[in-house]
Amino acid sequence: MDMIDLRSDTVTKPTSAMREAMAKADVGDDVYGEDPTVNQLQDIASELTGKDAALYVASGTMGNVAATLAHTRRGDEIICGLKSHIYRNEQGAMAALAGVQARPLEEEYDGTLDIEKIESAIQTSDDHHPITRVVAIENTHNICGGVPISPTYTEKLGELAVKHGLILHLDGARMFNAAAALGVSPKEIVGPSDSVSICLSKGLCAPVGSVLCGDTDFIHRARRARKVLGGGMRQAGVLAAAGIIALTEMPGRLINDHQNAKLLARLLGEVPGISLERNSASTNMVYFNLDAGVPNSGHEVSDSLRQEGVLLDLVGPSSFRAVTHHGIDSEMVEMSVHVLKKTISI
Ligand SMILES: *Cc1c(COP(=O)(O)O)cnc(C)c1O
């Protein structure tokens, strides 16, 4: 049975154009900086983000961790969101690997961090205090509903960062979704951010990889960090070839995923027993809950759906995330809601 897999956009497979480009890729040893395809990918990424340089890394986590290692010294502090990937979903890497502590702040409903709350969280130069070095945001913000954050906010945050000498890092795993949803360029999403990490292997469909962008000195330090993290890859052009297509040909279709997410949210909204979370379908994600009246647990619903060929991400006892992507069309969306309706009305 072909599954309708709505768990994540990470399940996307390389397109046939990617497979062809991978087979034909011109390669070299990237640890010597001699892989022409990796170099081309990095040039495209730095151009798209308006940064001096870029670095191909194995994953989004490696991009964020390499950025943290490159930006900070041991004992520094990073202001970040309580629901951010770097705080919740990277095994405490900033502490474990960089010796840095988080100063997590609760996000606003729209995925942003309140500028005044950030300002009052910045440490003073008193000898007792750690040095606040970085402020990190996420765009789109996954756990806040895949919500895109406007360039206006990022500009304001940039001004605050300059005022206090802070580094601004953007976890832009899905920044192309943000750009598509807001109708702005990737450069505008990056705005004043000093560094940005972008996933190629989610909605953009590459099989592997992320790209980290920033100024030349930063990328030089991040490159050293990547090596110690085990990310010095050799003929990585075989993978980067797919990444080039991800960056150049795939962003234009993300809007389809957003339309399918809107369709999904609309149909789910009509199902008795289901309530949508705020920000649902602002890009390619729909978060929803089973109401108290539904007799089945989230696990039970998840298991029955699986038997019927529909996969969802169970994110709480009765909460789900559904993510639309290249492998999902509107018929599959309709089918999945049909199956869900049947399952919870048993
Ligand atoms: C997926 C994701 C990452 C990490 O990417 P991996 O390639 O899974 O390591 C980082 N940040 C956000 C917001 C993500 O969604």
Side-chain angles (χ1 to χ4, degrees), residues 59-61 64 85 90 138 140 142 171 173-174 199 201-202 210:
S59 67
T61 302
N64 285 332
H85 197 281
E90 296 181 5
E138 192 173 304
T140 61
N142 180 349
D171 179 353
R174 294 186 180 83
C199 284
S201 68
K202 293 182 173 167
S210 280

Side-chain angles (χ1 to χ4, degrees), residues 47-334:
E47 175 72 32
L48 276 170
T49 53
K51 293 287 159 199
D52 298 338
L55 183 71
Y56 185 47
V57 291
S59 67
T61 302
M62 188 181 278
N64 285 332
V65 176
T68 302
L69 285 164
H71 282 318
T72 61
R73 301 178 64 171
R74 298 181 70 78
D76 284 352
E77 202 163 76
I78 296 186
I79 296 176
C80 59
L82 201 53
K83 297 175 183 161
S84 65
H85 197 281
I86 63 163
Y87 182 61
R88 291 217 343 196
N89 293 327
E90 296 181 5
Q91 293 188 7
M94 71 172 85
L97 303 177
V100 167
Q101 72 183 8
R103 181 75 180 269
L105 303 178
E106 187 159 3
E107 287 88 348
E108 304 301 302
Y109 74 95
D110 61 359
T112 62
L113 301 175
D114 182 83
I115 305 261
E116 281 171 25
K117 287 184 196 156
I118 295 175
E119 191 157 30
S120 50
I122 297 169
Q123 302 282 10
T124 69
S125 58
D126 185 304
D127 273 353
H128 292 85
H129 296 154
I131 293 170
T132 307
R133 187 77 66 189
V134 176
V135 55
I137 54 166
E138 192 173 304
N139 196 5
T140 61
H141 196 303
N142 180 349
I143 296 179
C144 290
V147 62
I149 291 171
S150 78
T152 318
Y153 170 82
T154 315
E155 284 299 333
K156 273 198 204 125
L157 186 55
E159 285 163 21
L160 182 83
V162 168
K163 179 173 161 197
H164 292 278
L166 300 183
I167 295 161
L168 178 56
H169 175 68
L170 170 60
D171 179 353
R174 294 186 180 83
M175 63 163 270
F176 280 90
N177 292 88
L182 299 174
V184 301
S185 67
K187 248 183 231 176
E188 286 169 278
I189 296 293
V190 174
S193 309
D194 297 291
S195 55
V196 55
S197 171
I198 306 164
C199 284
L200 307 174
S201 68
K202 293 182 173 167
L204 299 180
C205 299
V208 174
S210 280
V211 64
L212 178 64
C213 307
D215 72 28
T216 310
D217 279 354
F218 163 75
I219 290 296
H220 177 75
R221 294 192 305 276
R223 192 177 169 88
R224 283 185 59 80
R226 181 185 71 170
K227 188 74 175 117
V228 77
L229 294 171
M233 298 183 282
R234 310 287 179 198
Q235 286 72 33
V238 168
L239 300 167
I244 289 173
I245 295 178
L247 282 180
T248 55
E249 292 176 26
M250 303 309 280
R253 59 156 305 287
L254 292 174
I255 210 75
N256 302 348
D257 298 343
H258 301 175
Q259 278 161 1
N260 283 330
K262 285 194 171 59
L263 173 66
L264 178 61
R266 184 167 64 72
L267 296 177
L268 285 174
E270 293 166 3
V271 179
I274 284 183
S275 47
L276 294 174
E277 281 283 340
R278 64 193 177 190
N279 298 330
S280 271
S282 43
T283 56
N284 65 337
M285 296 182 179
V286 179
Y287 282 84
F288 63 94
N289 305 303
L290 303 176
D291 296 341
V294 175
N296 339 40
S297 71
H299 272 293
E300 286 163 349
V301 170
S302 191
D303 288 347
S304 341
L305 286 175
R306 178 181 284 269
Q307 278 163 25
E308 302 281 334
V310 177
L311 300 177
L312 292 177
D313 187 18
L314 184 65
V315 295
S318 56
S319 313
F320 295 90
R321 183 184 73 161
V323 185
T324 53
H325 52 76
H326 189 237
I328 298 293
D329 61 22
S330 58
E331 266 172 53
M332 292 161 127
V333 167
E334 283 163 16

